[in-house]
Amino acid sequence: MKKVSIKDVAKEAGVSLTTVSHILNHKQERFSQATIDKVLTAKDKLGYIPNKNAQQLRGHTIKLIGVLVPSLTNPFFSAIMQSMEQHKPDYVDLFFLSTSGDHLEHNIKHLVERGMDGLVIARLIDQPESMNNYLERHNVPYVVLDQSEDNGYTDIIRTDEQTGGALAAAHLIDLNHQHIAIVQPYEMMSNMQARVKGFEDYCESHDVQKPLKIETELSPSGGKQIVDQIIDSQVTAVFAINDEMAIGIIRGLKERGKAVPEEISVVGYDNISFSQYMTPALTTVAQPIALIGETALRLIVKKITETDQGVERIELPNELVVRETTQQLNQ
Ligand code: RIB
């Protein structure tokens, strides 16, 4: 079947090629609504799809941004990606890639070789200096997020993780909990370490015994797998490093006949979309997820399209959202 061309659209709409090109490239100001409608109707009727590669060759400036995340399925990262999609200008195309820490460097190079104009990196960079040199050499700006380490090289979006951890601790201690477990992943990112430090420091400054640490995989099943350790330790409350783990823990506790929050309180971290809808609804420390995505997108677009700007470091606040998985401990 012959591919529909811009010429076909012009013929169908009864207007010039230039008119179609302007209208489809969002330069519609000087055209009447009737002309715009004619072009859009012809485009839809013929099923015309603009060839972005061809546009680029003709000198249009479509910008390609690669986004590297640790997981495409974790709702935290899906919501960040969704927010980027929603806020991207028309001249930007986003490419999402999930990567393990081991493959990060390889995947960054792969995206650069595929012609990305900029990168958003939401995974801890092990060798920040060499990575920065590589990206600078290839003139590819980048923005990092979801990591606490500020290596001073590039724009970074962080949330206030220490305060986030402290908010969770304060809530549980206010409810009288003194024996608390922190459930954390085997591989702790620097932002998670900051979260735990905030929690532990708050406990220490309020004379609450040091929380027990339980390690597992960073996933709902990881949370579910360690509920026996939680039960055996006789803690009255759990702080899970993220909501996915908290959801697994609550499920596991229920299957073992333990009621949340009546017997054990659980606090999560992130405030992914499911947290408000589950039963009981999850008490959690909310990261401003949509704002993180929007801010990252705005910064990388600025770095690609403007010259001579300095490095921006943005710290966004976290807040406690109290729902149904925590309760006052009766003494
Ligand atoms: O759920 C994903 C978690 O890993 C989030 O807490 C995020 O901050 C990341 O570190």
Side-chain angles (χ1 to χ4, degrees):
M1 205 168 97
K2 191 175 161 273
K3 210 163 170 228
V4 177
S5 74
I6 193 166
K7 271 190 198 160
D8 299 325
V9 178
K11 197 168 163 207
E12 173 76 24
V15 298
S16 74
L17 267 182
T18 319
T19 301
V20 176
S21 169
H22 276 104
I23 289 177
L24 295 186
N25 284 297
H26 306 282
K27 291 175 199 148
Q28 304 176 346
E29 307 78 27
R30 58 199 177 86
F31 299 101
S32 69
Q33 193 55 48
T35 306
I36 295 170
D37 290 345
K38 259 197 290 184
V39 169
L40 296 180
T41 308
K43 171 185 164 259
D44 289 344
K45 181 175 169 202
L46 300 178
Y48 172 69
I49 299 170
N51 179 338
K52 300 251 172 176
N53 292 328
Q55 284 179 351
Q56 201 153 19
L57 289 174
R58 286 198 302 273
H60 289 258
T61 52
I62 291 165
K63 302 293 181 195
L64 309 180
I65 297 176
V67 182
L68 292 127
V69 293
S71 157
L72 293 172
T73 55
N74 182 325
F76 175 81
F77 294 106
S78 326
I80 287 183
M81 292 186 281
Q82 182 65 28
S83 169
M84 287 182 177
E85 259 315 319
Q86 268 167 7
H87 291 95
K88 81 178 179 64
D90 290 337
Y91 59 86
V92 163
D93 278 348
L94 296 175
F95 294 84
F96 298 109
L97 190 65
S98 153
T99 180
S100 66
D102 291 346
H103 291 104
L104 178 62
E105 194 174 329
H106 168 84
N107 282 327
I108 286 176
K109 290 185 175 165
H110 175 70
L111 287 177
V112 170
E113 283 157 17
R114 298 292 299 226
M116 294 298 127
D117 296 293
L119 297 177
V120 175
I121 305 175
R123 225 208 200 280
L124 187 66
I125 305 170
D126 271 344
Q127 315 259 347
E129 194 167 350
S130 73
M131 192 43 54
N132 185 64
N133 292 344
Y134 171 81
L135 290 171
E136 258 188 12
R137 226 175 30 251
H138 289 82
N139 208 13
V140 176
Y142 65 105
V143 168
V144 299
L145 59 89
D146 200 43
Q147 40 204 292
S148 290
E149 271 152 29
D150 177 358
N151 295 297
Y153 301 133
T154 189
D155 296 33
I156 180 167
I157 298 141
R158 289 179 293 193
T159 64
D160 184 355
E161 301 270 5
Q162 284 216 197
T163 302
L167 286 170
H171 175 58
L172 291 175
I173 292 169
D174 283 351
L175 295 174
N176 259 337
H177 294 279
Q178 303 277 320
H179 303 290
I180 305 171
I182 298 177
V183 179
Q184 61 182 53
Y186 299 118
E187 190 194 3
M188 285 286 278
M189 303 294 156
S190 56
N191 59 333
M192 296 175 180
Q193 287 167 12
R195 198 170 292 179
V196 167
K197 182 163 178 5
F199 193 96
E200 289 181 323
D201 286 355
Y202 192 93
C203 289
E204 194 180 340
S205 63
H206 288 74
D207 294 324
V208 168
Q209 119 185 14
K210 199 171 162 55
L212 169 78
K213 294 240 185 87
I214 301 176
E215 289 187 340
T216 185
E217 278 166 30
L218 183 65
S219 65
S221 68
K224 191 174 159 195
Q225 277 156 26
I226 49 73
V227 289
D228 284 345
Q229 289 180 59
I230 294 176
I231 295 168
D232 293 347
S233 68
Q234 299 194 324
V235 294
T236 62
V238 175
F239 172 45
I241 211 76
N242 75 359
D243 285 358
E244 282 205 313
M245 274 179 153
I247 290 169
I249 291 168
I250 293 168
R251 180 76 213 171
L253 289 173
K254 185 174 164 46
E255 288 179 9
R256 292 289 317 276
K258 290 280 172 194
V260 174
E262 293 77 6
E263 292 173 271
I264 300 183
S265 285
V266 178
V267 179
Y269 202 101
D270 284 349
N271 199 23
I272 57 174
S273 53
F274 299 124
S275 303
Q276 63 187 305
Y277 298 111
M278 54 192 269
T279 306
L282 185 65
T283 294
T284 190
V285 177
Q287 300 205 62
I289 305 179
L291 186 59
I292 294 172
E294 179 185 345
T295 310
L297 201 268
R298 181 174 57 74
L299 284 189
I300 192 62
V301 169
K302 191 168 160 204
K303 283 184 90 90
I304 291 172
T305 53
E306 294 175 17
T307 47
D308 289 341
Q309 359 88 27
V311 168
E312 280 194 56
R313 300 188 171 86
I314 297 180
E315 185 166 273
L316 302 171
N318 293 316
E319 62 174 350
L320 179 76
V321 180
V322 178
R323 297 199 181 103
E324 298 164 354
T325 55
T326 47
Q327 157 173 314
Q328 182 83 22
L329 182 71
N330 299 318
Q331 287 183 324

